[in-house]
Amino acid sequence: QVQLVESGGGLVQAGGSLRLSCAASGRTFSNYDIGWFRQAPGKEREFVAAITWSGKSTYYADSVKGRFTISRDNAKNTVYLQMNSLKPEDTAVYYCAADRQRRSLPQMGGVYGYDYWGQGTQVTVSS
């Protein structure tokens, strides 16, 4: 069992930066691949970024590539999402999710298949 708690969201002006954290409970956190997703009002949840259990491989949605960086510290049971050059269209609730199935990175871009989800943290980017 893994419980995920997101933090670090807030209100930022366009062009600014935020760093989101996904803190996990449980000793087996390092066994899980982690994905970040977001959901804007009236829209479906969409993939943002993913990182494998070891941290050696990452995968990004085209919309955030070059602006966002996903990383993890297994000693701290935490995954981070550094978001730079934020745009108003990045406004959404951001969720992290854990997956133990060792799927391929493209497969991790799908919403389905994750074992655990956090409750989300709101990110609002003003123009």
Side-chain angles (χ1 to χ4, degrees), residues 7-13 17-20 83 86 90-92 94 121-126:
S7 63
L11 174 64
V12 64
Q13 288 188 332
S17 298
L18 284 174
R19 188 176 80 157
L20 305 185
M83 306 188 297
L86 283 161
D90 294 318
T91 295
Y94 283 70
T121 184
Q122 175 71 47
V123 171
T124 303
V125 184
S126 63

Side-chain angles (χ1 to χ4, degrees), residues 73-103:
D73 185 340
N74 285 341
K76 295 182 177 180
N77 279 10
T78 302
V79 171
Y80 304 98
L81 185 67
Q82 178 66 44
M83 306 188 297
N84 299 328
S85 301
L86 283 161
K87 304 175 181 180
E89 52 263 44
D90 294 318
T91 295
V93 177
Y94 283 70
Y95 301 89
C96 63
D99 174 10
R100 196 172 179 176
Q101 301 175 64
R102 297 287 191 272
R103 296 181 293 163

Side-chain angles (χ1 to χ4, degrees), residues 4-6 21-23 34-37 94-98 116-118 120:
L4 305 173
V5 179
E6 301 94 337
S21 297
C22 172
I34 301 294
W36 280 100
F37 292 79
Y94 283 70
Y95 301 89
C96 63
Y116 304 102
W117 288 84

